[in-house]
Amino acid sequence: MRRMLWGVAVIVAVAGLAWWQGAALKGVFTDGAHPPRQAAAISAPVPVTITQVQKSDFPVYLFGLGTVQPYRTVTLRSRVDGQITKVSFKQGQLVKEGDPLIEIDKRPYQAALDQVLAKKALDEALLANSKRDLERYSKVGTLAVSQQQIDTQTALVKQQEAQVNVDQGAIDNAQVQLGYTTISSPLTGKIGFRTVDPGNIVHAADQSGIVTIVQLQPIAVEIFRCVGKGRLVELLLGFHLVKRCLVGALVDLN
């Protein structure tokens, strides 16, 4: 008797389960509950977006390890001896080409320039007097002076003219030395760690530099390793086919 009851119960359970699954698929429930999510997903339409086919470029990304190397790196050194009076930059600062960075005491070099300027003025005055004497000698001729005196005066004028040219060369050199007392940036870039402060004495013979500047734009990026040789070959072939492409690198410079 118990076996019969258990058999009837199993048959009723199987029949009830079959009816419930059928009702779930058709969306019919006696208790008014909403259909299961799985059934709703099966019966709901899938939205589709269409567009016209177009030909355009698309980015290709390759990730790898590499190094960043500036095209230009300059180590600034002093070209004259003297005491630093002013430092016009901060470590890590971006500077432009021509920006003044360091000033060295100008007074000795300004004094040297003034000295050669005065020497030239003196020699020019002597030259002017010698030219006037030569002009007088040439007018009177050998009636008042000898030919030897005329020749000597002519040589003296040429000698003093040469001396004036020497003075001009000394002036040019003194102006260059005075210009070296201001050290400016030779390029646009980022400045590094400075090794001197105002009050330090620098020499033209110093081997260590004052500061280093590196150029950041443009800059070289050397890739050591990329993702897959086949992918890289495919990318290079694509560059060859299009004949023109833009290549960029995202670099952290901090």
Side-chain angles (χ1 to χ4, degrees), residues 73-120:
T73 301
V74 177
T75 300
L76 297 184
R77 294 181 174 87
S78 176
R79 303 183 68 173
V80 292
D81 299 342
Q83 184 180 23
I84 294 177
T85 59
K86 185 179 181 181
V87 176
S88 304
F89 66 90
K90 296 180 180 179
Q91 297 172 169
Q93 177 183 344
L94 291 174
V95 295
K96 296 180 180 180
E97 182 178 355
D99 287 350
L101 302 178
I102 295 174
E103 291 186 6
I104 300 172
D105 190 5
K106 301 177 182 292
R107 292 173 297 177
Y109 301 97
Q110 183 63 54
L113 177 60
D114 295 340
Q115 184 177 3
V116 293
L117 286 172
K119 180 66 168 56
K120 181 184 179 182

Side-chain angles (χ1 to χ4, degrees), residues 26 55 80 83 136 215 237:
K26 295 180 180 180
K55 184 178 179 181
V80 292
Q83 184 180 23
R136 286 193 294 267
Q215 183 182 13
L237 289 177

Side-chain angles (χ1 to χ4, degrees), residues 17-223:
L17 180 60
W19 177 87
W20 182 83
Q21 289 182 347
L25 293 176
K26 295 180 180 180
V28 179
F29 296 92
T30 56
D31 56 356
H34 295 286
R37 294 181 180 179
Q38 185 176 3
I42 294 176
S43 60
V46 178
V48 178
T49 302
I50 62 174
T51 185
Q52 185 178 0
V53 178
Q54 297 178 354
K55 184 178 179 181
S56 62
D57 297 331
F58 62 91
V60 177
Y61 298 99
L62 291 179
F63 298 92
L65 300 178
T67 59
V68 179
Q69 298 179 352
Y71 283 116
R72 298 174 61 188
T73 301
V74 177
T75 300
L76 297 184
R77 294 181 174 87
S78 176
R79 303 183 68 173
V80 292
D81 299 342
Q83 184 180 23
I84 294 177
T85 59
K86 185 179 181 181
V87 176
S88 304
F89 66 90
K90 296 180 180 179
Q91 297 172 169
Q93 177 183 344
L94 291 174
V95 295
K96 296 180 180 180
E97 182 178 355
D99 287 350
L101 302 178
I102 295 174
E103 291 186 6
I104 300 172
D105 190 5
K106 301 177 182 292
R107 292 173 297 177
Y109 301 97
Q110 183 63 54
L113 177 60
D114 295 340
Q115 184 177 3
V116 293
L117 286 172
K119 180 66 168 56
K120 181 184 179 182
L122 175 61
D123 291 337
E124 286 178 339
L126 294 176
L127 174 62
N129 184 60
S130 297
K131 285 182 176 181
R132 287 192 294 269
D133 289 342
L134 178 61
E135 185 179 358
R136 286 193 294 267
Y137 293 164
S138 300
K139 286 182 178 180
V140 297
T142 56
L143 297 176
V145 294
S146 64
Q147 184 63 39
Q148 181 179 2
Q149 287 179 314
I150 296 176
D151 295 340
T152 301
Q153 191 65 29
T154 302
L156 180 61
V157 169
K158 292 181 179 180
Q159 178 182 353
Q160 291 177 340
E161 287 177 344
Q163 183 60 47
V164 171
N165 292 332
V166 171
D167 294 338
Q168 183 59 49
I171 291 173
D172 295 339
N173 180 69
Q175 289 175 339
V176 170
Q177 297 298 316
L178 181 61
Y180 287 158
T181 59
T182 299
I183 301 177
S184 302
S185 176
L187 53 85
T188 299
K190 194 170 187 178
I191 210 160
F193 183 79
R194 77 183 189 194
T195 59
V196 295
D197 294 304
N200 292 146
I201 303 295
V202 293
H203 303 278
D206 290 342
Q207 297 298 322
S208 59
I210 297 175
V211 72
T212 300
I213 305 175
V214 295
Q215 183 182 13
L216 300 182
Q217 294 180 349
I219 200 168
V221 180
E222 182 179 3
I223 304 298

